Amino acid sequence: MELAGLSVREDAVGNIFGRWLAWWLKGEGGRKRWDGLEPELAAVATGSHIDAIPYSGKYDGVVGVLGAIEAIRVLKRSGFKPRRPLEVISFTSEEPTRFGIGCLGSRLLAGSEDLANSLKTSTDIQNISFLDAAGSAGYSKNEDDLSSVFLKKGTYSAFVELHIEQGPILEDEGISIGIVTAIAAPASLTVEFEGNGGHAGAALMPNRNDAGLAASELALAVERHVLDSGSIDTVGTVGILELHPGAINSIPSKSHLEIDTRDIDEERRNKVVEKIHQSAIKITKTRGVKLSDFRVINQDPPAISDEAVIKAVETATKELNLTSKLMISRAYHDSLFMARLSPMGMIFIPCYKGYSHKPEEFATIEDMSNGVKVLALTLAKLSSQ
Amino acid sequence: MELAGLSVREDAVGNIFGRWLAWWLKGEGGRKRWDGLEPELAAVATGSHIDAIPYSGKYDGVVGVLGAIEAIRVLKRSGFKPRRPLEVISFTSEEPTRFGIGCLGSRLLAGSEDLANSLKTSTDIQNISFLDAAGSAGYSKNEDDLSSVFLKKGTYSAFVELHIEQGPILEDEGISIGIVTAIAAPASLTVEFEGNGGHAGAALMPNRNDAGLAASELALAVERHVLDSGSIDTVGTVGILELHPGAINSIPSKSHLEIDTRDIDEERRNKVVEKIHQSAIKITKTRGVKLSDFRVINQDPPAISDEAVIKAVETATKELNLTSKLMISRAYHDSLFMARLSPMGMIFIPCYKGYSHKPEEFATIEDMSNGVKVLALTLAKLSSQ
């Protein structure tokens, strides 16, 4: 087998600017299959997501879906015939924006019973239920039993995801390809404080129990607990902090925070979660507010990449004369959950200044083409095994 | 003149539950006049506002508009003939909710050139301009020169406003009527921080400049500076704190705060404003964020009630056998600005637990009736002078 001359059609990868490929996968459950010479074998799968957070960039996820489609075309153009089937997956709702939990699609495929149950009653901020949203997107209303989408272990012999690094290391070091060895363990929390509110002029300071100041204190406590871990690998963020009623002349009577904390060490991350909880309780005592909600939305273990997948990616980069580096993914991805189903690996490409989740997010056509070539060659190797 | 037997129609005051009286004033510039025996004399005016902050109560302002209308009816039913004209005013936008500045209507009537200029380019959160909003509400588009609404000093011989106390003192002490001697001096600020944002997993803690944590620090600094004033009369509130992009897995790249601080001592309040500014600058240095906006939206002097108006209210309460108390208004009102145009006074009635700016706000029919009677008798006295 000779695939060293792989050619990527740059217009295909470059068309990252439209998220117009939804139609491509529509009505086929987000998965598209190329049957191999032995279609009864477990498939090799690849893919990512095309949804995004508000005010974000165009590359996070999209590179791994359009890139997967182009990798399949590369293989087809080269005349390659896979032994195992190849599948491209476009996961729904990788970002937690709409229903409050990230990697909704891959969590479900990986068989999360808890999520399948909780989604029956989940609604978005406009009070649209998850099941209605799925129906409107063309997915059958009869599939209200979400466990019907669970995949069996062994469905895939391997899963590989192409993604921008979302960090600055590859660009700083001038390296073309990052080979992910592990994905950091994320946890996300939602917290609500309640106080009596009142008029900003008339209520004197000693009589107040300001839910907004409680939230500000907790936000700063999150940062303190993360820094206290002593490890550069521990991170924590308050990305959402909302005050009610949200008027300049009204003392906040309610506050709502959403907190994200991650680490490559699960135990260390769980300690941060516990300390955040203790701080929230302490704040209720010092400020006389009520902790009306403290919920761990998810608290996932880290995922370790599969040795054989790492090896296949490494070999592909060598055959393509590309520089590469083994690295950790601090962001999490659908791969974190696909690892519960199948051997997993990830291919990173550099992105401008490491920017992600903001409009300045950018990857060059050259880096995307390199990523697609490595993905294509990796898929070729894995589907021939 | 004998008005001691004044009767208030309780259904009129009780109908506080609908804000349906807008039609009543529509198209008449928010002012309605009862010509007196000597219509060329300066009028006595009364009124308040019917707008409200989000999720607020039904009494703040509304009692002083419906109450003013009922007071005029009380006088008409009693056969009273005023010497001076009497006017009822329903001020627009007393709350700063829509266009960011409170007492928009009374500030303009009182001749604020700065406001008349800035409103030409003001828009609400939905990008509707102030001038378009005024047009949609039935006010002439030709009046784009807002200085046309300025009133001359001397237009009114007195202005009196009936209002709920928005504090607990009258209820606690079992007193029917509060006679306001001064209105505390309010200032409001808007502050914005900017940082680089980024991915909540991928950006390590030392590389962050989190605009959300900058906002939380400033919110707590506001509280500290207010408490450091050492006076129970100094208050400060962060009622609005917004993060951008507002996603759980994104480091806030922008934050927006709106801060309200008040005192009966203008100099002490100005010191708090200055300290808040210093803290904002300090935070830019410690957190590496940019202070992209720091604006004093308003920084008004306090207002002192007119001796003759206080005397008229005091006499009215005595003639009606009602208990009363001289007091300060910590909330500010349209009266603060009407005081720039005319001798001013305010009549407070008790409200449940001092609650205001929340749904639990409440005043009894009896207290509202007492307030209307005192207002009617006060208007009778002032319009006869």
Side-chain angles (χ1 to χ4, degrees), chain B residues 19-41:
Chain B
R19 291 175 181 269
W20 37 251
L21 82 166
W23 63 266
W24 193 83
L25 296 151
K26 198 176 167 186
E28 302 187 47
R31 296 193 279 151
K32 179 136 184 134
R33 174 176 280 236
W34 177 13
D35 272 334
L37 299 171
E38 298 178 42
E40 70 288 356
L41 291 182

mmCIF file of all heavy atoms in Angstrom, chain B residues 19-41:
data_model
loop_
_atom_site.group_PDB
_atom_site.id
_atom_site.type_symbol
_atom_site.label_atom_id
_atom_site.label_comp_id
_atom_site.label_asym_id
_atom_site.label_seq_id
_atom_site.Cartn_x
_atom_site.Cartn_y
_atom_site.Cartn_z
ATOM 1 N N ARG B 19 -51.614 48.751 35.409
ATOM 2 C CA ARG B 19 -50.908 49.993 35.063
ATOM 3 C C ARG B 19 -51.632 50.591 33.858
ATOM 4 O O ARG B 19 -51.019 51.057 32.911
ATOM 5 C CB ARG B 19 -49.442 49.690 34.761
ATOM 6 C CG ARG B 19 -48.687 49.275 36.003
ATOM 7 C CD ARG B 19 -47.277 48.845 35.715
ATOM 8 N NE ARG B 19 -46.668 48.456 36.969
ATOM 9 C CZ ARG B 19 -45.994 49.271 37.760
ATOM 10 N NH1 ARG B 19 -45.787 50.507 37.414
ATOM 11 N NH2 ARG B 19 -45.496 48.830 38.904
ATOM 12 N N TRP B 20 -52.981 50.585 33.959
ATOM 13 C CA TRP B 20 -53.816 50.881 32.803
ATOM 14 C C TRP B 20 -54.090 52.360 32.615
ATOM 15 O O TRP B 20 -54.925 52.759 31.828
ATOM 16 C CB TRP B 20 -55.138 50.149 32.917
ATOM 17 C CG TRP B 20 -55.667 50.080 34.316
ATOM 18 C CD1 TRP B 20 -55.725 48.966 35.095
ATOM 19 C CD2 TRP B 20 -56.174 51.150 35.108
ATOM 20 N NE1 TRP B 20 -56.232 49.283 36.326
ATOM 21 C CE2 TRP B 20 -56.516 50.612 36.377
ATOM 22 C CE3 TRP B 20 -56.375 52.508 34.907
ATOM 23 C CZ2 TRP B 20 -57.047 51.370 37.408
ATOM 24 C CZ3 TRP B 20 -56.894 53.279 35.939
ATOM 25 C CH2 TRP B 20 -57.218 52.706 37.175
ATOM 26 N N LEU B 21 -53.412 53.156 33.384
ATOM 27 C CA LEU B 21 -53.757 54.564 33.256
ATOM 28 C C LEU B 21 -52.915 55.296 32.229
ATOM 29 O O LEU B 21 -53.090 56.501 32.049
ATOM 30 C CB LEU B 21 -53.664 55.263 34.600
ATOM 31 C CG LEU B 21 -52.263 55.700 35.002
ATOM 32 C CD1 LEU B 21 -52.333 56.643 36.140
ATOM 33 C CD2 LEU B 21 -51.410 54.517 35.228
ATOM 34 N N ALA B 22 -52.050 54.567 31.523
ATOM 35 C CA ALA B 22 -51.204 55.250 30.541
ATOM 36 C C ALA B 22 -52.042 56.066 29.558
ATOM 37 O O ALA B 22 -51.709 57.203 29.233
ATOM 38 C CB ALA B 22 -50.346 54.238 29.811
ATOM 39 N N TRP B 23 -53.167 55.471 29.117
ATOM 40 C CA TRP B 23 -54.036 56.163 28.164
ATOM 41 C C TRP B 23 -54.454 57.531 28.666
ATOM 42 O O TRP B 23 -54.661 58.462 27.907
ATOM 43 C CB TRP B 23 -55.283 55.331 27.870
ATOM 44 C CG TRP B 23 -56.158 55.113 29.072
ATOM 45 C CD1 TRP B 23 -56.126 54.059 29.908
ATOM 46 C CD2 TRP B 23 -57.173 55.992 29.587
ATOM 47 N NE1 TRP B 23 -57.029 54.201 30.928
ATOM 48 C CE2 TRP B 23 -57.702 55.377 30.753
ATOM 49 C CE3 TRP B 23 -57.686 57.215 29.185
ATOM 50 C CZ2 TRP B 23 -58.710 55.948 31.514
ATOM 51 C CZ3 TRP B 23 -58.703 57.799 29.956
ATOM 52 C CH2 TRP B 23 -59.205 57.166 31.106
ATOM 53 N N TRP B 24 -54.574 57.610 29.976
ATOM 54 C CA TRP B 24 -55.143 58.800 30.592
ATOM 55 C C TRP B 24 -54.304 60.034 30.260
ATOM 56 O O TRP B 24 -54.814 61.131 30.081
ATOM 57 C CB TRP B 24 -55.186 58.575 32.095
ATOM 58 C CG TRP B 24 -56.025 59.577 32.829
ATOM 59 C CD1 TRP B 24 -57.380 59.545 32.993
ATOM 60 C CD2 TRP B 24 -55.577 60.755 33.480
ATOM 61 N NE1 TRP B 24 -57.791 60.628 33.722
ATOM 62 C CE2 TRP B 24 -56.702 61.382 34.040
ATOM 63 C CE3 TRP B 24 -54.331 61.346 33.667
ATOM 64 C CZ2 TRP B 24 -56.627 62.563 34.754
ATOM 65 C CZ3 TRP B 24 -54.257 62.518 34.380
ATOM 66 C CH2 TRP B 24 -55.403 63.128 34.916
ATOM 67 N N LEU B 25 -53.028 59.799 30.201
ATOM 68 C CA LEU B 25 -52.112 60.917 30.000
ATOM 69 C C LEU B 25 -51.596 60.974 28.574
ATOM 70 O O LEU B 25 -50.907 61.897 28.186
ATOM 71 C CB LEU B 25 -50.919 60.764 30.951
ATOM 72 C CG LEU B 25 -51.308 60.847 32.426
ATOM 73 C CD1 LEU B 25 -50.360 60.029 33.253
ATOM 74 C CD2 LEU B 25 -51.339 62.289 32.890
ATOM 75 N N LYS B 26 -51.968 59.979 27.797
ATOM 76 C CA LYS B 26 -51.364 59.815 26.475
ATOM 77 C C LYS B 26 -51.577 61.046 25.594
ATOM 78 O O LYS B 26 -52.657 61.608 25.530
ATOM 79 C CB LYS B 26 -51.961 58.583 25.791
ATOM 80 C CG LYS B 26 -51.092 58.099 24.642
ATOM 81 C CD LYS B 26 -51.655 56.834 24.051
ATOM 82 C CE LYS B 26 -50.970 56.566 22.720
ATOM 83 N NZ LYS B 26 -51.548 55.443 22.032
ATOM 84 N N GLY B 27 -50.548 61.415 24.921
ATOM 85 C CA GLY B 27 -50.685 62.509 23.963
ATOM 86 C C GLY B 27 -50.737 63.877 24.612
ATOM 87 O O GLY B 27 -50.877 64.887 23.933
ATOM 88 N N GLU B 28 -50.638 63.914 25.926
ATOM 89 C CA GLU B 28 -50.672 65.226 26.572
ATOM 90 C C GLU B 28 -49.348 65.485 27.280
ATOM 91 O O GLU B 28 -49.293 66.184 28.283
ATOM 92 C CB GLU B 28 -51.853 65.306 27.529
ATOM 93 C CG GLU B 28 -53.168 65.062 26.824
ATOM 94 C CD GLU B 28 -54.364 65.317 27.737
ATOM 95 O OE1 GLU B 28 -54.391 66.357 28.408
ATOM 96 O OE2 GLU B 28 -55.249 64.456 27.776
ATOM 97 N N GLY B 29 -48.316 64.872 26.774
ATOM 98 C CA GLY B 29 -46.981 65.143 27.299
ATOM 99 C C GLY B 29 -46.786 64.677 28.718
ATOM 100 O O GLY B 29 -45.861 65.075 29.393
ATOM 101 N N GLY B 30 -47.668 63.789 29.188
ATOM 102 C CA GLY B 30 -47.508 63.265 30.536
ATOM 103 C C GLY B 30 -47.970 64.243 31.609
ATOM 104 O O GLY B 30 -47.764 63.986 32.781
ATOM 105 N N ARG B 31 -48.585 65.389 31.201
ATOM 106 C CA ARG B 31 -49.053 66.347 32.207
ATOM 107 C C ARG B 31 -50.532 66.650 31.969
ATOM 108 O O ARG B 31 -50.960 66.771 30.833
ATOM 109 C CB ARG B 31 -48.255 67.655 32.117
ATOM 110 C CG ARG B 31 -46.795 67.445 32.446
ATOM 111 C CD ARG B 31 -46.101 68.783 32.654
ATOM 112 N NE ARG B 31 -45.740 69.404 31.403
ATOM 113 C CZ ARG B 31 -45.641 70.716 31.215
ATOM 114 N NH1 ARG B 31 -45.940 71.561 32.200
ATOM 115 N NH2 ARG B 31 -45.270 71.209 30.060
ATOM 116 N N LYS B 32 -51.299 66.738 33.027
ATOM 117 C CA LYS B 32 -52.725 67.058 32.898
ATOM 118 C C LYS B 32 -53.033 68.196 33.881
ATOM 119 O O LYS B 32 -52.626 68.129 35.038
ATOM 120 C CB LYS B 32 -53.551 65.814 33.206
ATOM 121 C CG LYS B 32 -55.035 66.043 33.122
ATOM 122 C CD LYS B 32 -55.729 64.919 32.385
ATOM 123 C CE LYS B 32 -57.210 65.223 32.241
ATOM 124 N NZ LYS B 32 -57.683 64.967 30.901
ATOM 125 N N ARG B 33 -53.715 69.205 33.426
ATOM 126 C CA ARG B 33 -53.891 70.424 34.232
ATOM 127 C C ARG B 33 -55.357 70.654 34.594
ATOM 128 O O ARG B 33 -56.267 70.412 33.803
ATOM 129 C CB ARG B 33 -53.360 71.621 33.417
ATOM 130 C CG ARG B 33 -53.602 72.986 34.058
ATOM 131 C CD ARG B 33 -52.959 74.080 33.219
ATOM 132 N NE ARG B 33 -51.533 74.144 33.494
ATOM 133 C CZ ARG B 33 -50.907 75.277 33.903
ATOM 134 N NH1 ARG B 33 -51.566 76.384 34.080
ATOM 135 N NH2 ARG B 33 -49.617 75.261 34.126
ATOM 136 N N TRP B 34 -55.580 71.111 35.836
ATOM 137 C CA TRP B 34 -56.885 71.600 36.292
ATOM 138 C C TRP B 34 -56.714 73.105 36.500
ATOM 139 O O TRP B 34 -56.008 73.508 37.434
ATOM 140 C CB TRP B 34 -57.257 70.900 37.598
ATOM 141 C CG TRP B 34 -58.557 71.354 38.218
ATOM 142 C CD1 TRP B 34 -59.546 72.105 37.660
ATOM 143 C CD2 TRP B 34 -58.988 71.058 39.561
ATOM 144 N NE1 TRP B 34 -60.577 72.303 38.534
ATOM 145 C CE2 TRP B 34 -60.270 71.666 39.731
ATOM 146 C CE3 TRP B 34 -58.457 70.334 40.623
ATOM 147 C CZ2 TRP B 34 -60.990 71.573 40.921
ATOM 148 C CZ3 TRP B 34 -59.181 70.245 41.804
ATOM 149 C CH2 TRP B 34 -60.432 70.852 41.951
ATOM 150 N N ASP B 35 -57.291 73.871 35.584
ATOM 151 C CA ASP B 35 -57.090 75.318 35.689
ATOM 152 C C ASP B 35 -57.726 75.863 36.966
ATOM 153 O O ASP B 35 -58.835 75.474 37.338
ATOM 154 C CB ASP B 35 -57.699 76.042 34.474
ATOM 155 C CG ASP B 35 -56.675 76.135 33.348
ATOM 156 O OD1 ASP B 35 -55.458 76.118 33.647
ATOM 157 O OD2 ASP B 35 -57.097 76.194 32.180
ATOM 158 N N GLY B 36 -57.032 76.755 37.625
ATOM 159 C CA GLY B 36 -57.555 77.356 38.869
ATOM 160 C C GLY B 36 -58.320 78.634 38.568
ATOM 161 O O GLY B 36 -58.557 79.001 37.415
ATOM 162 N N LEU B 37 -58.696 79.293 39.649
ATOM 163 C CA LEU B 37 -59.431 80.546 39.508
ATOM 164 C C LEU B 37 -58.556 81.609 38.856
ATOM 165 O O LEU B 37 -59.050 82.523 38.203
ATOM 166 C CB LEU B 37 -59.910 81.025 40.887
ATOM 167 C CG LEU B 37 -60.856 80.042 41.607
ATOM 168 C CD1 LEU B 37 -61.108 80.468 43.058
ATOM 169 C CD2 LEU B 37 -62.190 79.942 40.841
ATOM 170 N N GLU B 38 -57.223 81.461 39.051
ATOM 171 C CA GLU B 38 -56.291 82.415 38.436
ATOM 172 C C GLU B 38 -55.293 81.636 37.576
ATOM 173 O O GLU B 38 -54.164 81.380 37.992
ATOM 174 C CB GLU B 38 -55.584 83.238 39.522
ATOM 175 C CG GLU B 38 -56.576 84.074 40.346
ATOM 176 C CD GLU B 38 -55.912 84.874 41.470
ATOM 177 O OE1 GLU B 38 -54.831 85.459 41.231
ATOM 178 O OE2 GLU B 38 -56.456 84.877 42.584
ATOM 179 N N PRO B 39 -55.727 81.218 36.380
ATOM 180 C CA PRO B 39 -54.941 80.277 35.571
ATOM 181 C C PRO B 39 -53.582 80.823 35.131
ATOM 182 O O PRO B 39 -52.717 80.049 34.711
ATOM 183 C CB PRO B 39 -55.850 79.982 34.360
ATOM 184 C CG PRO B 39 -56.907 81.021 34.372
ATOM 185 C CD PRO B 39 -57.032 81.537 35.766
ATOM 186 N N GLU B 40 -53.369 82.147 35.240
ATOM 187 C CA GLU B 40 -52.075 82.690 34.830
ATOM 188 C C GLU B 40 -51.012 82.488 35.908
ATOM 189 O O GLU B 40 -49.819 82.688 35.655
ATOM 190 C CB GLU B 40 -52.225 84.184 34.462
ATOM 191 C CG GLU B 40 -52.499 85.141 35.605
ATOM 192 C CD GLU B 40 -53.915 85.028 36.204
ATOM 193 O OE1 GLU B 40 -54.752 84.244 35.676
ATOM 194 O OE2 GLU B 40 -54.184 85.699 37.222
ATOM 195 N N LEU B 41 -51.411 82.092 37.101
ATOM 196 C CA LEU B 41 -50.429 81.870 38.174
ATOM 197 C C LEU B 41 -49.637 80.590 37.933
ATOM 198 O O LEU B 41 -50.090 79.670 37.241
ATOM 199 C CB LEU B 41 -51.144 81.744 39.527
ATOM 200 C CG LEU B 41 -51.797 83.014 40.097
ATOM 201 C CD1 LEU B 41 -52.415 82.705 41.473
ATOM 202 C CD2 LEU B 41 -50.751 84.139 40.233
#
